Amino acid sequence: MSNSKNPATKAKRYTITAALPYTNGPVHIGHLAGVYVPADIYARYLRLTGNDVIYICGSDEHGVPITIKAKKEGISPQDVVDKYHAIIKKSFQDFGISFDNYSRTSAKIHHKTASEFFRKLYDEGKFIEETSEQLYDEEANQFLADRFVVGTCPKCGNEESYGDQCEKCGTSHNATDLINPKSAITGNVPTKKMTKHWYLPLEKYEKWLREWIVEGHKNDWKSNVLGQVKSWLDDGLKPRAVTRDLDWGIPVPVENAEGKVLYVWFDAPIGYISSTKEWAAREGKDWEPYWKDKDTKLIHFIGKDNIVFHCIIFPAMLKAEGTYILPENVPANEFLNLEGNKISTSKNWAVWLHEYLEDFPNKQDVLRYALTANAPETKDNDFTWKDFQARNNNELVAIFGNFINRVVVLSEKYYNGIVPEPNEFSDIDNETLEKMHKFPSIIGNSIDRYRFREASQELLNLARLGNKYLADEEPWKMIKVDEKRVKTVMYIALQIASALSVLSEPFLPFTSEKLKKILNIGQYQEIATTQKNASRNDDSSVTSSAVEMVWNDVEDKDELLPPNHQIGKGELLFAKIEDEEIQAQLNRLEATKLTNEAENKITEPQKETIEFDDFTKLDIRVGTIIEAIKVPKTKKLLQLKVDVGIDVRTIVSGIAESFNAEDIIGQKVTVLINLAPRNLKGIDSMGMILMTNTPDGKLAFIEPENDSVANGEQIS
C-alpha cells in the first residue's frame, strides 16, 4: 500500500475566501458553480486531511447596485440588504456550505477594519488626491459612479457597459471613459462637475505584479486567470479611484470628505479580513496568523468577472499596506449559462438556490454534484434540467446509490447487518482493495490542483469499482454454493462502502452523513447499535468497536470496518427524479422567457392616418359564439356559428391554438360583420372575430365589460 500523503499538508494553515455575494438579489446556480461549491469542496477536503482551515465569506452590502435596487423598490438600502442577507445566509446554511464565518459589510467590525485600512494608506501617502471632472446628473442632483451610468465600452463597443466595468469584455474603466454615457437614474445625458477623490496609483505596482503573477505563478495558476491579468498589465495600469460620491457605504475617514464613501471594490475584499476578525473574536483565537503569517496559504475562490479585483487591485492594496500575505492562488471559474442563455438576475433567468431547496427538498447533494460534474472550470458551460436529471438518475442513483443499497441489503439478509469475518483473499480481492486504497491520493491530487470536476468523477469511479466487484463475484449466486467466499466478498464490499462515506464528504456532505449513519460510523455508532439491540427478539446484545475515519485512513488502514461491527438500518441515498419534476422547471423558465419577451416587445407603430368616413364604413358588432368545431386537417382553424343580432353566421377563425372549441360556447365576441366573405378550407367565412395578444403570447377576445350588452349592438 502507498504511504504517500496529499500535498495539502504543506501549509501550516489555510485561509479560504469565497467572493462576497451582492445583497441585491438571492444566490443562483451560477454563483454556486463558479464560487461556493468548489470552495466548499476544497475547505471540507482540507479539514478531512487534518489541516487548520478557515472558510470565510459574507454579504457585500455596499455599492451602486444596492442603491439602484432600493430606488426601484421604494425602500431604503438598509431594507434591501437586510432582506437579501437573510435569504442568502439561510440558503447557504440549508445547502450545506460550511463557512466558518459568514459576516456582512454593514457590520461595525467591517466599517472599523476598512476605515483603519484606508487611513493607514492615507497617512503613509500611498494615495493620490485629485480633483477632476466626473459625470453628473443635474436632474437627480447626483454624481454618476459605477452602475449609475451606462454607455459604450471604449474597448469592445458594448453599448450597455457600466461606468466601472464592461460585463461583455471584462474591461474595467472609469465612468468618464464611456462613449455616449447616459444616467441610469433618469436616462439623461450627464454633464461634468468637479469633485475630489483619492486614487491608488496602480501603475506603481505594475512591474511587481508582472513578476509576482505572470512570472512567479505561470506554472500553477489557471490559464484563464493568467491571461486576463497579462492583458491588463499589457494595456498599462492607471490610478484607480478608491472613493465615490455616494450616500450609501463606509464614509471616507479623513477630513473634508463629506458625502464621499469608500469604493465598494476597496471595502469589499477587506470584508474577508473583518469576517476573519469576527470569527476569531467568537472562537477566542488570534486572527492575524491567518492573514499575516508567511506559512499560511491564502486562496480566493471567485468568478472570472472578479479576476481584476482579486489579482490586481486587492493585491496592490495588501502590498501597499505592507503587513499582509498575498494569495497563493486565485482559481477563478468561467460562467455557467442556463438552458443556452446567459444567467441574468434582472431578467429572472436563473435557478435561485432558495427556490431549488423548496422544489427539491433533501436533494442538496444532487445539485452540488450536477454543478461540480459540469463545472465551468476552463470555459463557459451550460446547465440544463435534462442533464441535471440524467446526472441524478444515471450516476448518483444507478451507480453510487445502487452499490450502497446492494451492500446494505445483502449484509442485512445474510448476516443481520454484522460485518462478516473474511476468509482468504483471492487475487481479485487484493487488486480491488489496492485500487480502493489509491483513491484518496487520486481524488486529493485533483482537488489540490482545483480540478473539482475531475475529482467528482474519480469519486464515482470508486462506486463503479464496488459495483463491478459485486457484479463479477455475484454473492447472491455464490451464497448457495460457497458461504465462506460470500463472507469475504461482503467484507470487501463494506470496506468500499466505508471509503465512499469518507471520500464523498467534500462533494456530497448530506449523503456522506447519511451513509455514515447507515454504516454506524462515528457519531452515529452508539445510536445505531442501541436501536439494533432494542429491535432484537433474543436476550443477546450486539457490540460494536469504535469506528472513526478521516481521509487518509482510507489509504493507510488495512481495514476500515472491522468484523463483527454492526451496521445500521438501510435507506436509499438517492431518489429518481421524474420527468414531471423536470418539466415543471422548464415550464417556469418558459414563462420567464415569455414575460421577458412581452416586457421587451416593441409596440407596433401607428398605421397611416385614415379619414373619419373610412372608419364609419366598418360595421363592428357584439356577438355570441353558439357553436364551435375544429376544422379538419388544420392546426389553427375553428369553424364558429356566431349570433350577431341580425343573423347567425359562419365565421372561420385562427384561434384553435389558444382555445378549445368546447370552452368558448357562449363567449361574447366583437365581430367585423361587413368584411367581404372569404373561403377557407372550403368554408365561406362571413366576418372576422377581433382579437388581441396576452403577455404570454396567447390570443384574447375583445368583449364588452358589461354582460347585458345585447348581440347586434354596434361598436363605434
Side-chain angles (χ1 to χ4, degrees), residues 120-134:
K120 184 182 182 196
L121 268 59
Y122 175 84
D123 290 341
E124 293 178 356
K126 299 295 176 68
F127 294 132
I128 299 170
E129 185 178 315
E130 186 176 297
T131 300
S132 62
E133 285 188 325
Q134 296 296 325

Side-chain angles (χ1 to χ4, degrees), residues 432-675:
T432 300
L433 287 172
E434 185 178 352
K435 288 178 180 177
M436 181 195 78
H437 288 308
K438 290 179 179 178
F439 272 97
S441 289
I442 293 171
I443 297 172
N445 186 47
S446 294
I447 295 176
D448 285 329
R449 291 177 294 148
Y450 312 105
R451 296 181 179 179
F452 304 105
R453 185 171 59 195
E454 179 181 275
S456 71
Q457 296 313 293
E458 290 296 350
L459 175 69
L460 209 65
N461 284 338
L462 176 56
R464 288 190 176 99
L465 174 70
N467 272 321
K468 185 178 187 304
Y469 178 72
L470 284 182
D472 290 346
E473 297 305 307
E474 298 182 311
W476 45 88
K477 292 183 180 179
M478 185 71 67
I479 193 71
K480 300 173 184 177
V481 295
D482 192 346
E483 292 186 12
K484 290 178 63 178
R485 174 62 187 155
V486 172
K487 287 184 178 181
T488 304
V489 170
M490 293 311 302
Y491 169 86
I492 290 173
L494 283 162
Q495 305 308 305
I496 297 173
S498 301
L500 281 168
S501 76
V502 176
L503 303 186
S504 65
E505 183 178 333
F507 309 92
L508 311 169
F510 294 90
T511 302
S512 171
E513 186 176 353
K514 191 185 295 185
L515 183 50
K516 286 175 182 176
K517 184 177 181 181
I518 292 171
L519 296 176
N520 198 6
I521 291 173
Q523 62 178 307
Y524 301 106
Q525 179 187 327
E526 183 178 346
I527 297 171
T529 303
T530 302
Q531 290 173 341
K532 195 72 179 182
N533 284 332
S535 68
R536 292 177 69 89
N537 295 322
D538 54 32
D539 294 329
S540 63
S541 177
V542 175
T543 59
S544 184
S545 56
V547 176
E548 297 282 352
M549 267 180 264
V550 294
W551 189 273
N552 287 326
D553 288 344
V554 179
E555 182 174 353
D556 294 341
K557 289 186 175 180
D558 291 328
E559 183 174 76
L560 300 177
L561 274 190
N564 299 317
H565 173 82
Q566 175 70 63
I567 69 172
K569 185 179 180 182
E571 59 178 308
L572 292 178
L573 292 182
F574 307 101
K576 186 178 180 182
I577 294 175
E578 302 296 340
D579 292 344
E580 294 77 15
E581 297 175 83
I582 297 303
Q583 192 58 50
Q585 298 301 321
L586 293 173
N587 291 345
R588 176 184 288 175
L589 288 175
E590 183 62 26
T592 296
K593 183 181 291 185
L594 291 172
T595 300
N596 289 334
E597 289 174 354
E599 290 177 352
N600 296 324
K601 185 177 180 180
I602 299 174
T603 303
E604 290 292 329
Q606 178 182 304
K607 295 181 179 179
E608 62 181 88
T609 302
I610 63 172
E611 298 298 328
F612 181 73
D613 288 345
D614 295 326
F615 173 73
T616 60
K617 293 177 183 178
L618 300 176
D619 193 348
I620 304 173
R621 304 203 183 200
V622 174
T624 301
I625 298 173
I626 59 175
E627 185 180 312
I629 59 172
K630 188 83 162 49
V631 176
K633 298 181 180 180
T634 67
K635 286 179 61 179
K636 297 182 178 181
L637 300 182
L638 291 181
Q639 180 180 337
L640 311 175
K641 293 287 187 183
V642 184
D643 182 351
V644 295
I646 58 174
D647 58 35
V648 174
R649 59 182 61 195
T650 298
I651 298 175
V652 178
S653 184
I655 61 175
E657 290 184 317
S658 295
F659 302 99
N660 294 320
E662 61 271 19
D663 294 337
I664 59 174
I665 306 300
Q667 172 69 48
K668 285 280 189 182
V669 291
T670 302
V671 187
L672 177 61
I673 67 171
N674 64 336
L675 186 67

Side-chain angles (χ1 to χ4, degrees), residues 101-201:
N101 198 62
Y102 188 82
S103 188
R104 55 192 305 188
T105 58
S106 63
K108 288 183 179 179
I109 192 169
H110 176 68
H111 277 238
K112 184 174 185 292
T113 302
S115 296
E116 289 174 349
F117 197 106
F118 180 93
R119 186 74 204 202
K120 184 182 182 196
L121 268 59
Y122 175 84
D123 290 341
E124 293 178 356
K126 299 295 176 68
F127 294 132
I128 299 170
E129 185 178 315
E130 186 176 297
T131 300
S132 62
E133 285 188 325
Q134 296 296 325
L135 300 181
Y136 189 80
D137 187 326
E138 298 282 356
E139 182 181 339
N141 192 29
Q142 184 170 330
F143 281 97
L144 300 178
D146 308 329
R147 301 198 174 197
F148 274 138
V149 60
V150 293
T152 301
C153 173
K155 185 169 185 178
C156 74
N158 172 29
E159 295 181 354
E160 296 181 353
S161 177
Y162 294 120
D164 60 340
Q165 186 178 24
C166 175
E167 292 198 339
K168 185 174 182 180
C169 69
T171 300
S172 180
H173 45 235
N174 294 315
T176 51
D177 296 330
L178 290 176
I179 302 167
N180 300 322
K182 286 187 178 181
S183 168
I185 305 171
T186 64
N188 295 338
V189 175
T191 60
K192 288 186 177 180
K193 188 175 180 179
M194 299 298 289
T195 185
K196 179 174 68 175
H197 283 293
W198 288 266
Y199 294 76
L200 183 64

Side-chain angles (χ1 to χ4, degrees), residues 374-386:
N374 191 38
E377 292 178 347
T378 56
K379 63 181 179 64
D380 290 357
N381 269 359
D382 193 40
F383 176 92
T384 70
W385 280 110
K386 289 293 186 183

Side-chain angles (χ1 to χ4, degrees), residues 409-424:
V409 168
L410 292 177
S411 296
E412 181 66 32
K413 181 178 180 180
Y414 300 154
Y415 312 114
N416 293 319
I418 298 173
V419 179
E421 185 80 45
N423 294 289
E424 186 177 353

